Amino acid sequence: MNKILGKTYFSERVVKLEVEAPLIAKARRPGNFVIVRVGERGERVPLTIAGADTRRGSITLVVQVVGASSRKLCALEVGDHVTDLVGPLGKPTRVERVGTVLACGGGVGIAPLLPIAGAFKEAGNRVVSVIAARTREFIILEEEIRACSDEVIVMTDDGSYGNKGVITTGMEAVIVRERVELAVTIGPAIMMKFAAALTRRHAIPTIASLNALMVDGTGMCGACRVTVGGKTRFTCVDGPEFDAHEVDFDEMLARLDGLRDEERNKDITSV
Amino acid sequence: MEITSDRNEAWRKALRVAFPAKDRLAIERVTMPEVPPAERVKSQRVEVNKGVTPAMAQREARRCMDCVTPACMEGCPVGVDIPGFVKEIERGEFTRAAAVLKRASALPAVCGRVCPQEKQCEERCFLVQKLKKEAVAIGYLERFAADHERETGDAPLPESLPANGIRVAVVGSGPSGLSCAGDLAKAGFDVTVFEALHEIGGVLKYGIPEFRLPNRVVDAEIDQLRRLGVRFVTNYIVGMTGTLDDLRADGFRCFYISSGAGLPRFMNIPGENSNGILSANEYLTRVNLMGAGSVEADTPVYRGRHVVVVGGGNTAMDSARTARRLGAERVMIVYRRGEEEMPARVEEVKHAREEGCEFITLTNPMAYLADERRRVKQVIVQRMTLGEADESGRRTPVAVEGSEYALDTDMVIVAVGVSPNPIIPRSVPGLAVSRRGTIEVDPESMQTSVPDLYAGGDIVRGGATVILAMGDGRRAAQHICRRFSGT
Ligand SMILES: Cc1cc2nc3c(=O)[nH]c(=O)nc-3n(C[C@H](O)[C@H](O)[C@H](O)COP(=O)(O)OP(=O)(O)OC[C@H]3O[C@@H](n4cnc5c(N)ncnc54)[C@H](O)[C@@H]3O)c2cc1C
Ligand code: FES
């Protein structure tokens, strides 16, 4: 049981939670994630760690309400507890000094991008961040991203804030203008697919942090498998970050959708 | 209670005299009462085997000849005093029978249900070897004695030595870790078990379904350990949440690694990542640990109408039978060798068949075809024949050219084995690991190349059995006791 220490609404459907987890706060590195479970019948849900405070012994998670489990989590108030929290999971980001890093985050993907962008900045890189969302209310953590970037480009699909257009428009503006050594992309799978296609054309090495479906998060089930460079890998233990140019995003998109029908039909038969 | 079970004790002699061999041999082997197939496939949780009654148990115990050199014991990986406990049952001393069992086995209620008795103790039984009769039902009797003790509440809390204040960490809460923790607690150690998942029990909880091993049987063992003072920390992945060095700094002076063989293998054939194809571990974890399939659970699971299960072990049988319980109309178990070669317990094969699972043996998947939404729709299989025996003595399957055909399916469960969980081997510097990824140990002491680290169970053996995992835990505990004796 881990206590909720803080709760901030970024918008009606996007919530930042500060959760007590002293050991994870100490052990985590940028790129790591946790698995959270709410309620005795709850599902195990992976969430990338958006930040940590070792002094307060807490980590921050940013959650967007998309289904039953995220709704349960977002309904928790300060003083409530999550039933289970385990981590840090996955391999941390390999942070090196490479020159200019294009840090790209879409929607709630902006939250886990934050510690990674921060780490690249700290390692002495020039960091240009492109953050994108459907509409203004989903652009989150802009101030924090600004604090660890040399430049920030904001994109919204509907033009309600920043520049109008998708994330790749913002990325391309940077790529044609200056030399980029590395791109990092976190967000919806479809966004990462297009971001990867763009950087491949420009031959820019790119990391994608994948949000596969998971159960245990420790390599035990294979629910999280993805094809990378023609080989099957487990996102939870081999990733979550992979070479974006090698990831089979079409397969990944299909797998993310695979259980959707089952969720809807769940109450039809039961044991 | 100090239990001795000497064959020459007066009561044992008297029992032997009271019933002549001829009368004993005339008794037929007991039949396990079972829930009928049509009824049991409606529930994931109703145990199929109902257990024998005291009268049935005593009658079955009478079939045992109390041999001078009991060969059955040589078949038991942990050397349970089999005639000793069977004869206690014969004379109606059920609690004593359980005590005899517990001298060698930490988890008799579990082992009585899941051990492959037909390949171990029962295979060596005098009745089988010399008289070509059916073996004494040692597994049923083991389960009977252990259940009786638990259900009557007669189990005395084992006596413990005074606390010695030495902290030991057990990594992983499967059968291996639980038995090591129990023995160490009894010896006075301050034991903490760290478990990565949110539940204690390892495969006993997330893998083996309740229709074969009810959770309450496992929970009773865990409660007993709690009463002995063992602490359990869930949601703690050693090597990730904290390192061994962190734990050393917290005062842990010794470790037992029993992290299991968690990593499911796939066959790496075309189309294997299509939707609706999952490992047995994923399927069983969703259903057994997460409750998927029940209305209240948040965790979803694929439902197939025509389910293919690949493999011939216990995991394959458990998956197939679970699929039947979740409503599959047709369940096909595809195995590359013959039924004779199946590693599953014979009882599981029998139960699976009774529940309507089909066996497609000497057949191996080659590729999967999916529909436009990438959901699996067909598996292309190939017929096999058995060739030469390999080094393990099993005959190697050889593909029959041109024998390919397709099976229609909407869900496939892959149960072709597991590899050791890599988290610990990866995170401990200097730990000797084999090519297969198992941790190397001294087989006598279970000590690894890192002096304060012991290991056992599936992380050392690869996918093995509950009884071997349990035996390793006890052996390691003995050596840990010896290591600290005099301090
Ligand atoms: C479906 C299925 C059916 C089976 N049926 C039978 C049967 O009928 N008879 C039989 O004898 N055997 C059977 N087996 C095999 C048997 O269950 C195993 O051999 C046995 O459970 C191994 O015990 P263990 O304690 O070594 O590991 P496990 O039971 O695998 O337990 C390991 C535990 O360690 C935890 N862990 C892993 N890494 C870490 C870490 N870094 N930190 C903390 N915790 C960690 C895991 O989460 C897990 O809970 C079956 C296995 C399966 C999967
Ligand atoms: S989530 Fe189970 S193996 Fe990755």
Side-chain angles (χ1 to χ4, degrees), chain B residues 233-257:
Chain B
V233 178
T234 51
N235 296 317
Y236 191 112
I237 307 177
V238 175
M240 305 285 273
T241 310
T243 60
L244 288 182
D245 277 341
D246 292 334
L247 295 174
R248 287 182 184 115
D250 280 348
F252 287 99
R253 292 178 57 194
C254 195
F255 300 85
Y256 179 65
I257 310 294

Side-chain angles (χ1 to χ4, degrees), chain A residues 213-224 234 236:
Chain A
L213 296 182
M214 294 191 186
V215 182
D216 59 298
T218 63
M220 185 189 91
C221 76
C224 62
F234 287 7
C236 67

Side-chain angles (χ1 to χ4, degrees), chain B residues 114 172 174-176 195-196 202-203 212 236 238 259 314 318 457-458 464-466:
Chain B
V114 306
S176 202
E195 169 55 52
V203 172
R212 204 147 75 78
Y236 191 112
V238 175
S259 51
N314 288 319
D318 286 343
D458 281 3
T465 57
V466 171

Side-chain angles (χ1 to χ4, degrees), chain B residues 6-296:
Chain B
D6 187 339
R7 193 174 176 276
N8 295 319
E9 275 183 87
W11 66 269
R12 287 267 286 263
K13 283 188 182 157
L15 271 186
R16 286 198 294 276
V17 177
F19 288 91
K22 182 169 63 64
D23 292 358
R24 295 180 186 275
L25 292 173
I27 305 171
E28 299 250 317
R29 178 176 157 121
V30 67
T31 309
M32 173 59 81
E34 294 172 354
V35 180
E39 195 178 314
R40 70 198 193 214
V41 294
K42 291 182 198 145
S43 165
Q44 182 74 7
R45 307 189 61 182
V46 169
E47 192 178 9
V48 172
N49 285 352
K50 295 202 278 195
V52 296
T53 63
M56 289 161 89
Q58 282 182 281
R59 187 178 154 88
E60 181 63 20
R62 192 157 289 159
R63 296 181 66 227
C64 167
M65 311 296 284
D66 202 0
C67 303
V68 185
T69 45
C72 52
M73 285 179 65
E74 289 159 23
C76 175
V78 299
V80 164
D81 176 1
I82 294 167
F85 95 83
V86 171
K87 291 297 123 180
E88 293 286 5
I89 293 179
E90 183 178 346
R91 70 162 169 159
E93 290 284 353
F94 305 144
T95 307
R96 289 179 66 95
V100 174
L101 278 163
K102 285 199 165 169
R103 282 200 316 233
S105 169
L107 306 165
V110 175
C111 294
R113 286 172 166 85
V114 306
C115 265
Q117 290 93 3
E118 74 278 2
K119 290 186 198 127
Q120 299 179 359
C121 51
E122 293 185 16
E123 182 182 52
R124 310 284 184 94
C125 176
F126 176 77
L127 299 184
V128 175
Q129 293 297 336
K130 294 283 158 20
L131 305 175
K132 305 284 174 241
K133 284 178 171 289
E134 283 192 286
V136 173
I138 299 168
Y140 296 168
L141 293 178
E142 177 181 24
R143 169 190 162 154
F144 168 79
D147 283 1
H148 178 88
E149 183 193 53
R150 187 183 64 253
E151 283 159 13
T152 52
D154 282 353
L157 195 63
E159 278 169 38
S160 305
L161 297 177
N164 63 16
I166 300 172
R167 300 189 81 187
V168 180
V170 171
V171 180
S173 67
S176 202
L178 293 179
S179 32
C180 185
D183 283 4
L184 288 173
K186 281 180 249 169
F189 287 85
D190 179 355
V191 186
T192 306
V193 179
F194 293 92
E195 169 55 52
L197 291 172
H198 61 265
E199 274 264 350
I200 302 295
V203 172
L204 306 182
K205 280 283 180 65
Y206 77 70
I208 304 179
E210 286 212 69
F211 57 75
R212 204 147 75 78
L213 177 64
N215 284 348
R216 66 185 147 74
V217 173
V218 184
D219 286 334
E221 301 294 341
I222 296 164
D223 280 348
Q224 169 108 329
L225 295 184
R226 283 212 169 91
R227 284 193 286 150
L228 282 168
V230 174
R231 263 184 293 245
F232 290 95
V233 178
T234 51
N235 296 317
Y236 191 112
I237 307 177
V238 175
M240 305 285 273
T241 310
T243 60
L244 288 182
D245 277 341
D246 292 334
L247 295 174
R248 287 182 184 115
D250 280 348
F252 287 99
R253 292 178 57 194
C254 195
F255 300 85
Y256 179 65
I257 310 294
S258 46
S259 51
L263 217 62
R265 277 195 222 125
F266 287 90
M267 294 172 67
N268 296 314
I269 56 178
E272 205 174 22
N273 290 346
S274 305
N275 286 344
I277 304 180
L278 54 166
S279 75
N281 267 12
E282 179 182 351
Y283 187 58
L284 294 171
T285 301
R286 283 182 186 272
V287 176
N288 297 334
L289 182 71
M290 307 307 296
S294 77
V295 191
E296 308 86 40

Side-chain angles (χ1 to χ4, degrees), chain A residues 41-42 44 72 84-85 87-89 219-221 223 225 227 232 250-251 254-255 258 261-262 266 269-271, chain B residues 44 198 235 237 241 262-264 272-273 275 277 279 281-282 285 290 293 296-298 302-303 373-375:
Chain A
R41 315 218 170 234
R44 292 172 66 96
K72 273 192 190 172
D84 294 289
L85 178 65
L89 299 163
M220 185 189 91
C221 76
R225 58 200 200 278
T227 302
T232 294
D250 291 331
E251 177 189 280
R255 287 185 65 80
D261 296 341
E262 313 291 335
K266 210 167 62 182
T269 36
S270 65
V271 224
Chain B
Q44 182 74 7
H198 61 265
N235 296 317
I237 307 177
T241 310
L263 217 62
E272 205 174 22
N273 290 346
N275 286 344
I277 304 180
S279 75
N281 267 12
E282 179 182 351
T285 301
M290 307 307 296
E296 308 86 40
D298 292 346
Y302 281 107
R303 308 271 190 154
R373 296 181 59 207
R374 293 194 181 230
R375 171 91 179 223

